[in-house]
């Protein structure tokens, strides 16, 4: 008899254990804070300093309850309750009889509820306990203290609880300590096996992809059962499991597969793999690609480059943190919005950072569709972690499940053991003073992670930690740029100037960042007018890096004239952030093939806050994201260096040659052209080439632009690059901006609406720098943060939901210290 599955996605009741009469009717996802917020029973935690007013929520016990019916026939079979994304410490009862106590958000649990089940109505109860209390209890039982990240977490000992680590606060994150249940539990009535996971290992040779498909089941395995596998373009296969057998492997062969490419290198054709066992259907859209990492030794140390379908890919992207502090808002639409913005900025890789969560399937499906490779951390970050038998016994099935769950996604490029945990051994006095002990402790856990990953997915690299220098190397990966990945934080955390980015030659930089403030619109969403000062108490609640504001201000004093008012401060902080990331990434891109990856910190925000993100809360583009779209373009030229002499360097990431044409000019600050030199150059596949070395005679009187186009050659090659031409554009300055006497540009601004929506046209009398239109709400301009030259007309279009306002601020650098507001424009 086929398995029947009942999805318990709605008709739940939620109440506080001590006030059972006050009930909320809820459906999955149930995120307790979100339920209370929507009911009007909780002030918005994001507003002003409400964070401190909502901490009572996680300290209560919350009960989720619902009923379902079972028949007599059902009771004659096995009844399994399947639970996942249960946050986090919970006791489960059925008909008031205990079923289980659980405490791992990242595991899937199959609970046998036959003993408690009865004919007719059954009452399922999930009681959610305070994870903070669990953390404290566990810490007290540890054989020796295991330091946790006090500078990030507001609640101690979350390193003992398998829950999203940034739920307890981070240096960009609110402390909400979410609790709830985020995917629908399933009641499965079955006579035999349940379909658990499907894994796919791809073997490619010219004209053929062989897919080794491993099907894992759980349950009794008493009978012989057949599994049907199908994929378009491959002969369907049937797999027979004999009694006692829970796992089977079948091969699907696709001849002449349409290959999946990372974004920018080709299309993302997907093949739907369907696996059916006894009425249970598993389906996933998979990209067929050949992927491996070249970690081989070279003169400098070791390479670190991902190779897809034989092409070395320069990894371009950023670090992903949870999409929202409210887990109920981790929706497919939210993923899509953020990831489409990533693909639009020419990303080809996203790092799912280890302080968050293993994302929902929709996240990876979206990456697969958009051509975004995934660097997947296991969920450990910045704290040290226990290696006690109890902890390992909890983590092993977690990692085993997550690897098997995610393994078949073609987009996943690498499994990484943790975020910064090797380095963290040196951060805490306790562990610093006893490094050997804590290193052994580290390695005990890391061995288990490695073994578990290898067991679930021998086809991919297990990278012990980010950053690290490779297996069994526990050195300072923060500063070793000869091998491994590096987290380069000397500019932000150690206060070096932007030129420090020129001092290193990373192999693969997986973290580096610079903070900025979000746009005025986001700040208005959580402040009252009187709060709108960067050091007001409310603004400081929304700056989680204690030294953050001081760092931003101090860096202003090195480079810029001080901004006049609050709005200009916000604007300039984004200019500064964009310049920092642009300096690093442009230079490191020119180092290819020595350097083959840059993932900046961080893509997104999980609430409205000052942070290192390029997309602010709500998905709006900060200035940096517009720059990212320029500096990550597959073929582009960059000005490298600082001071009077600089180089114009062109980079081609693609496996086909490109032809460059255009010109570079030295221009007076008043707009007079001093020198024009044409550019006409062929750039080989994968080449980085210096086009010119330029010395400015009057470094404080001039700046330089290089503008033109690229066009790819050999479009007939086997590789179908989707975009074959584009604009190249780069501006540079020969002195720090504060030393430039920028004449005040008078912008002529026209606005209007047509069938495509709102447009704004800009002209200027003298050069205007970092020209930026305010971006209120969730949407973006077709371009922003650019250099506007006299004689040019630049038309920008608003893309997104209607602006909802009739005025717009326009900023540029010279205005930031001369006007207290941006130029206000009335929209027609
Ligand atoms: C990193 C990350 C995060 C942190 C960021 C900024 O190294 O791993 O822990 O938010 O730095 O400090």
């Amino acid at each position: 008899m086929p398995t029947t599955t009942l999805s318990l996605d709605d008709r739940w009741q939620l109440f506080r254990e001590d006030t059972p009469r006050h009930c909320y009717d809820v459906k999955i996802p149930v995120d307790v804070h979100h339920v209370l917020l929507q009911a009007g029973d909780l002030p918005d935690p994001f507003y002003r300093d409400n964070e401190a007013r909502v901490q009572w929520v996680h300290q209560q016990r919350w009960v989720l309850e619902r009923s379902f019916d079972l028949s007599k026939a059902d009771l004659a079979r096995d009844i399994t309750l399947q639970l996942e994304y249960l946050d986090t410490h919970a006791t489960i009862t059925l008909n008031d009889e205990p079923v289980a106590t659980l405490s791992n958000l990242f595991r899937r649990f199959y609970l046998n509820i036959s003993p408690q089940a009865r004919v007719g109505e059954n009452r399922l109860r999930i009681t959610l306990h305070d994870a903070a209390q669990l953390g404290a209890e566990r810490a007290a039982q540890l054989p020796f203290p295991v330091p946790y990240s006090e500078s990030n977490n507001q609640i101690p000992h979350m390193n003992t609880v398998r829950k999203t680590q940034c739920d307890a606060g981070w240096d960009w994150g609110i402390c909400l300590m979410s609790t709830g249940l985020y995917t629908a539990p399933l009641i499965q009535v079955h006579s035999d096996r349940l379909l658990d996971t499907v894994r796919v290992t791809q073997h490619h040779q010219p004209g053929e992809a062989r897919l080794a498909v491993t099907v894992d089941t759980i349950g009794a395995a008493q009978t012989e059962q057949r599994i049907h596998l199908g994929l378009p373009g491959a002969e369907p296969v049937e797999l027979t499991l004999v009694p006692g057998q829970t796992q089977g492997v079948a091969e699907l062969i696709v001849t002449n597969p349409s290959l999946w490419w990372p974004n920018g290198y080709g299309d993302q054709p997907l093949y739907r793999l369907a696996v059916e066992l006894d009425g249970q259907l598993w389906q996933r859209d998979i990209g067929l690609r050949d992927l491996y990492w070249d970690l081989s030794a070279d003169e400098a140390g070791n390479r670190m480059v991902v190779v897809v379908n034989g092409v070395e890919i320069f990894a371009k992207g950023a670090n992903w943190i949870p999409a929202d502090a409210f887990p109920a808002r981790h929706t497919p639409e939210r993923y899509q919005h953020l990831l489409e913005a990533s693909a639009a900025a020419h990303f080809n890789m996203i790092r799912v950072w280890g302080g968050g969560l293993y994302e929902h399937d929709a996240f990876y499906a979206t990456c697969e569709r958009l051509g975004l490779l995934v660097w997947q951390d296991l969920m450990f970050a910045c704290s040290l972690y226990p290696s006690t038998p109890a902890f390992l016994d909890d983590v092993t099935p977690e990692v085993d499940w997550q690897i098997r769950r995610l393994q078949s996604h073609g987009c996943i490029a690498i499994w990484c053991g943790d975020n910064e945990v090797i380095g963290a051994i040196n951060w805490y006095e306790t562990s610093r003073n006893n490094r050997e002990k804590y290193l052994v402790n580290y390695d005990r856990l890391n061995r288990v992670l490695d073994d578990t990953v290898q067991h679930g997915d021998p086809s991919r690299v297990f990278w012990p930690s980010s950053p690290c220098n490779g297996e069994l190397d526990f050195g300072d990966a923060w500063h070793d740029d000869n091998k491994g990945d590096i987290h380069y934080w000397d500019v932000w955390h150690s206060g070096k100037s932007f030129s420090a980015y020129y001092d290193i030659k990373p192999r693969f930089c997986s973290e580096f960042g610079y903070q900025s403030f979000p746009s005025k619109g986001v700040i208005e969403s959580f402040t009252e007018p009187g709060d709108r000062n960067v050091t007001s108490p409310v603004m400081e609640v929304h700056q989680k890096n204690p030294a953050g504001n001081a760092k931003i201000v101090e860096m202003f004093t090195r480079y810029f004239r001080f901004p006049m008012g609050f709005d200009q401060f916000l604007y300039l902080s984004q200019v500064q952030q964009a310049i920092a990331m642009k300096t690093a990434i442009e230079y490191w891109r020119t180092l290819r093939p020595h350097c083959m990856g840059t993932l900046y910190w961080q893509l997104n925000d999980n609430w409205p806050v000052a942070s290192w993100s390029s997309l602010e809360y709500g998905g709006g583009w900060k200035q940096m994201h517009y720059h990212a779209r320029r500096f990550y373009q597959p073929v582009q030229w960059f000005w490298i260096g600082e001071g009077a002499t600089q180089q114009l360097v062109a980079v081609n990431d693609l496996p086909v040659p490109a032809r460059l044409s255009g010109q570079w000019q030295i221009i007076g600050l008043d707009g007079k052209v001093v020198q024009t030199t044409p550019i006409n150059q062929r750039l080989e596949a994968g080449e980085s080439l210096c086009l010119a070395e330029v010395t400015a005679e009057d470094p404080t009187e001039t700046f330089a632009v290089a503008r033109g186009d690229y066009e790819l050659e050999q479009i007939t090659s086997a590789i179908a690059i989707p975009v074959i031409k584009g604009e190249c554009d780069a501006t540079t300055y020969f002195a720090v901006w504060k030393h430039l006497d920028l004449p005040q540009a008078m912008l002529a601004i026209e606005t209007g609406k047509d069938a495509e929506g709102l447009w704004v046209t800009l002209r200027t009398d003298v050069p205007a720098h970092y020209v930026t239109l305010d971006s209120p709400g969730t949407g973006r301009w077709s371009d922003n943060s650019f250099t506007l030259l006299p004689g040019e007309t630049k038309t920008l279009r608003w893309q997104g939901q209607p602006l909802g306002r009739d005025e717009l601020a326009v900023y540029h650098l010279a205005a930031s210290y001369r006007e207290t507001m941006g130029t206000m424009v009335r929209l027609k």
Side-chain angles (χ1 to χ4, degrees), residues 210-495:
R210 286 172 179 264
L211 311 181
V213 183
T214 305
V215 182
D216 285 300
T217 68
I218 59 127
Q222 277 162 352
T223 61
E224 181 170 298
Q225 284 185 298
R226 268 179 251 296
I227 300 175
H228 305 274
L229 299 96
L231 180 115
E235 283 289 314
V237 177
E238 200 175 82
L239 186 65
T240 304
L241 298 185
V242 298
Q245 187 182 356
T246 54
Q247 184 184 81
V249 183
E251 190 177 60
L252 291 167
I253 301 170
V254 187
T255 39
N256 296 321
S258 302
L259 294 179
W260 179 97
W261 288 94
N263 182 33
Y265 290 81
D267 294 336
Q268 289 79 41
L270 301 179
Y271 288 78
R272 176 158 297 182
L273 172 60
V275 176
E276 191 265 336
L277 162 69
D278 192 22
Q280 307 162 63
L281 182 64
W282 180 100
Q283 295 192 86
R284 184 169 281 176
D285 292 335
I286 292 171
L288 302 185
R289 87 292 174 269
D290 186 25
L291 184 151
Y292 70 94
W293 286 81
D294 181 358
L295 302 170
S296 61
D298 62 9
E299 306 91 74
N302 281 85
R303 305 197 74 200
M304 185 148 189
V305 42
V306 63
V307 184
V308 180
N309 304 327
V311 175
E312 294 194 350
I313 307 292
F314 191 104
K316 292 178 289 199
N319 285 268
W320 169 274
I321 63 162
D324 205 291
F326 287 105
R329 296 180 185 164
H330 296 175
T331 59
E333 296 72 37
R334 195 58 97 69
Y335 289 145
Q336 190 173 321
H337 191 82
L338 294 166
L339 294 171
E340 280 180 353
S342 306
H346 305 291
F347 284 27
N348 54 34
M349 189 180 278
I350 284 275
R351 172 172 174 241
V352 180
W353 164 76
L357 68 156
Y358 305 93
E359 293 292 343
H360 293 267
D361 288 335
F363 173 89
Y364 303 93
T366 310
C367 290
E368 195 100 353
R369 189 168 59 70
L370 293 172
L372 296 169
L373 294 162
V374 176
W375 172 307
Q376 178 70 45
D377 281 4
L378 304 183
M379 292 301 131
F380 304 90
C382 297
S383 293
L384 304 188
Y385 289 86
S387 63
T388 55
F391 193 77
L392 299 180
D393 283 352
D394 194 18
V395 160
T396 305
E398 163 196 322
V399 173
D400 175 59
W401 154 245
Q402 292 295 346
I403 299 296
R404 287 189 295 112
R405 171 175 84 95
L406 299 174
Q407 191 275 354
S408 64
H409 287 290
C411 60
I412 292 182
I414 194 166
W415 305 113
C416 172
D418 63 61
N419 175 72
E420 300 189 344
V421 181
I422 296 176
I425 298 172
N426 288 339
W427 296 348
Y428 309 107
E429 209 186 334
T430 320
S431 49
R432 201 169 39 239
N433 292 342
N434 206 342
R435 187 173 154 82
E436 282 180 12
K437 173 173 171 170
Y438 284 90
L439 195 55
V440 172
N441 175 67
Y442 171 84
D443 197 49
R444 281 189 183 163
L445 172 60
N446 201 251
R447 279 319 79 226
V448 169
L449 301 180
D450 188 354
D451 288 350
T452 312
V453 169
Q454 293 300 327
H455 184 249
D457 185 12
S459 73
R460 286 190 180 89
V461 167
F462 172 79
W463 191 245
S465 177
S466 183
C468 86
N469 294 330
E471 214 179 332
L472 292 178
D473 187 330
F474 305 104
D476 178 9
W478 266 262
H479 296 98
D480 187 343
D481 58 2
N482 295 320
K483 55 184 185 304
D485 67 324
I486 185 170
H487 289 190
Y488 188 69
W489 281 102
D490 284 17
V491 174
W492 175 263
H493 284 301
S494 309

Side-chain angles (χ1 to χ4, degrees), residues 13 22 34 215 325 351 382 386 816:
Q13 297 213 298
H22 189 66
H34 202 251
V215 182
R351 172 172 174 241
C382 297
S816 72

Side-chain angles (χ1 to χ4, degrees), residues 551-566:
K551 286 186 196 298
I552 291 172
V553 170
E554 200 273 336
M555 200 63 102
F556 280 174
T557 66
R558 290 190 216 177
Y559 290 106
F560 302 107
R561 299 191 185 187
F562 211 76
M564 282 286 279
F566 181 66

